[in-house]
Amino acid sequence: PNGTVSATPLDAYDTEYVSQIDVGGTTMNMVLDTGSADLWVFSSLQPSSQTSGHNIYKADSSKKVSGATWEIVYGDGSEASGAVYSDKVVVGGMTATSQAVEAATSVSSQLQVEKAIDGIFGLAFSSISSVEPNKVKTFFDNVKPSLAFPLFAVTLKYHAPGTYDFGFIDKSKYTGNITYVDVNTTQGAWEFTASGYAVGSGSTTTTNINAVIDTGATLLYLPTAVVKAYYAKVPKAQVSRTEGGYIFPCSTTLPDFTVIIGGSKQVVPGKYINYAPTKTDPTTCFGGIQKVGDIGVSIFGDIFLKSKYVIHEAGSGTPRLGFAQQ
Ligand SMILES: N#Cc1c(N)n[nH]c1N1CCCC1
């Protein structure tokens, strides 16, 4: 059967979105993350100093997967590791009866202090599962055969709850046409190539941009040249070493950012590119578009996603991404 689960902003800036997932009978607040493939949770295996304020998964030795371990490090340096259990996981009415649940024995402080997050729910390809000695399947891979269509569709929203639909496309959630592009699965992510960009009402620059769709990433991270071209159109924008990226006066009216995907223009409203005030000066704001650095692939995180309906399809053929405007 199909299913829908809501995704609610963690804070006033949509830093992350959390969904309520039933893991072995306990409701956990988890980030559905298309940028990773591990389903891990805070657990009873951790010292209580690490889990205070979090919902925890009660690790039952009778459900333990013998000899299996996992360890994951995210782009922001946060990390977690632990053991593996097989248990029932329910998402939006869909059940995986023997889902690999990665129970943490240790979680980094960055994640411990985020009391609203009890775990991460990976939706990238199972090929990048961190579990050793044998990789395990994501929830999506486990339930896919039971879905009407082998896909899930993401509707994140600006300062409002959105949804993840599994198994069906909801026509009420988008306008216009869906544009599909093929996915390159060699790195186990939802990776695709955009073919150009434009800033505000300016002309389109034709250039290939390799990118991944990543619901677990807050911002839109792009190549340096593209980011420079964007902020060249933002009065008083500057790179702040202390803030770690481009900042500008919060009163600025930002230009839209358009990226060409599958020949279609995908517009990110300028308003969505004003991410949040800096901690040091509330009249200075941190940009939602930032340099990705030299990791070779751009990261289309929530700043991009929150105006789109993005279909992640992985059937018998080449996986595809579908893009439509909300
Ligand atoms: N950084 C980062 C990141 C990402 N690109 N996807 N998911 C992430 N995290 C989940 C928990 C902490 C960070």
Side-chain angles (χ1 to χ4, degrees):
N2 301 330
T4 296
V5 65
S6 60
T8 302
L10 186 63
D11 59 21
Y13 309 113
D14 304 339
T15 303
E16 293 282 0
Y17 294 83
V18 290
S19 301
Q20 293 198 309
I21 310 294
D22 178 338
V23 182
T26 302
T27 299
M28 308 286 280
N29 296 312
M30 302 185 75
V31 174
L32 271 60
D33 178 15
T34 56
S36 64
D38 285 49
L39 190 166
W40 70 262
V41 284
F42 278 76
S43 87
S44 56
L45 303 176
Q46 294 169 258
S48 55
S49 59
Q50 286 196 10
T51 62
S52 73
H54 287 276
N55 298 295
I56 61 169
Y57 170 72
K58 183 150 181 37
D60 171 348
S61 53
S62 72
K63 298 178 179 176
K64 194 173 188 304
V65 176
S66 173
T69 60
W70 60 279
E71 175 165 15
I72 192 162
V73 181
Y74 295 100
D76 65 358
S78 54
E79 55 183 322
S81 57
V84 184
Y85 292 72
S86 179
D87 213 333
K88 181 173 143 181
V89 171
V90 184
V91 181
M94 298 168 297
T95 299
T97 48
S98 305
Q99 173 66 43
V101 175
E102 301 173 34
T105 52
S106 180
V107 174
S108 69
S109 56
Q110 272 167 288
L111 283 159
Q112 287 176 41
V113 300
E114 192 42 84
K115 303 295 185 190
I117 294 176
D118 304 320
I120 306 297
F121 189 98
L123 289 171
F125 292 86
S126 301
S127 61
I128 59 171
S129 161
S130 83
V131 175
E132 293 291 354
N134 307 309
K135 296 181 187 308
V136 297
K137 284 188 173 184
T138 65
F139 177 87
F140 176 52
D141 273 353
N142 281 327
V143 301
K144 196 189 297 181
S146 72
L147 300 177
F149 294 95
L151 62 87
F152 62 90
V154 183
T155 318
L156 298 183
K157 287 189 171 297
Y158 176 77
H159 299 176
T163 56
Y164 287 74
D165 295 318
F166 288 85
F168 70 106
I169 290 173
D170 186 335
K171 286 190 172 312
S172 74
K173 291 182 179 170
Y174 67 92
T175 62
N177 296 321
I178 300 171
T179 302
Y180 286 95
V181 290
D182 281 355
V183 168
N184 172 349
T185 60
T186 53
Q187 296 188 72
W190 292 94
E191 185 177 345
F192 67 102
T193 301
S195 60
Y197 70 92
V199 177
S201 55
S203 59
T204 298
T205 297
T206 299
T207 179
N208 280 352
I209 300 172
N210 288 331
V212 295
I213 295 293
D214 187 350
T215 56
T218 311
L219 306 182
L220 171 50
Y221 301 92
L222 292 161
T224 301
V226 178
V227 177
K228 280 186 170 171
Y230 180 78
Y231 287 110
K233 302 291 185 193
V234 177
K236 300 193 198 127
Q238 57 181 323
V239 176
S240 161
R241 257 188 307 285
T242 51
E243 296 300 335
Y246 281 87
I247 59 174
F248 43 78
C250 294
S251 57
T252 307
T253 300
L254 291 167
D256 295 347
F257 179 75
T258 299
V259 62
I260 310 297
I261 303 176
S264 71
K265 290 187 174 184
Q266 298 297 334
V267 180
V268 179
K271 173 181 166 186
Y272 291 10
I273 300 168
N274 187 335
Y275 166 54
T278 64
K279 290 185 188 59
T280 45
D281 167 11
T283 68
T284 297
C285 278
F286 194 73
I289 286 176
Q290 296 294 343
K291 292 188 277 192
V292 71
D294 51 7
I295 62 170
V297 65
S298 292
I299 299 174
F300 281 34
D302 303 337
I303 292 287
F304 171 83
L305 290 167
K306 65 180 80 169
S307 60
K308 306 293 170 208
Y309 187 69
V310 181
I311 296 153
H312 302 62
E313 179 193 273
S316 54
T318 302
R320 298 190 303 172
L321 282 164
F323 296 87
Q325 194 68 12
Q326 280 186 30

